[in-house]
């Protein structure tokens, strides 16, 4: 079994209204000096395989087809 994590974030230059809302909320809660917050998504997966190369290939396909909107998002894959 292979455990993997896919992290999806907005590309630089893409507006992040949720990140801005979080930034404002943290300021309202008294956390000063916080800026440039970007939010993202994390997917933890277990793959029933022992072939890491095939698992990485499958994960890239999952990202390209469903997990990430590659027009505005980047993704990275890491293995535990």
């Amino acid at each position: 079994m292979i455990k993997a994590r896919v992290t999806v974030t907005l590309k630089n230059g893409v507006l992040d209204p949720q990140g801005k809302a979080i930034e404002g909320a943290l300021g309202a809660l008294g956390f000063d000096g916080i800026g440039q917050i970007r939010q993202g998504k994390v997917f933890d997966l277990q793959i029933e395989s022992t072939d890491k190369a095939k698992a990485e290939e499958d994960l890239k396909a999952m990202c390209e087809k469903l997990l990430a909107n590659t027009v505005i998002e980047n993704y990275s894959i890491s293995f535990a």
Side-chain angles (χ1 to χ4, degrees):
M1 180 172 324
I2 297 173
K3 292 183 179 183
R5 173 169 283 176
V6 175
T7 304
V8 179
T9 56
L10 289 170
K11 291 182 177 181
N12 288 334
V14 176
L15 295 178
D16 186 355
Q18 190 171 3
K20 276 298 203 192
I22 293 166
E23 186 178 323
L26 288 172
L29 291 171
F31 295 100
D32 296 326
I34 306 295
Q36 301 298 315
I37 294 177
R38 308 282 288 173
Q39 64 88 35
K41 303 177 275 192
V42 174
F43 301 94
D44 290 323
L45 301 95
Q46 289 186 16
I47 300 169
E48 299 292 332
S49 174
T50 56
D51 185 347
K52 190 173 179 181
K54 172 74 167 111
E56 185 169 15
E57 180 182 317
D58 288 346
L59 285 164
K60 286 179 181 178
M62 290 177 207
C63 290
E64 295 289 330
K65 292 180 180 182
L66 178 67
L67 300 180
N69 176 349
T70 57
V71 173
I72 61 168
E73 294 175 319
N74 293 317
Y75 64 86
S76 64
I77 298 168
S78 60
F79 294 96

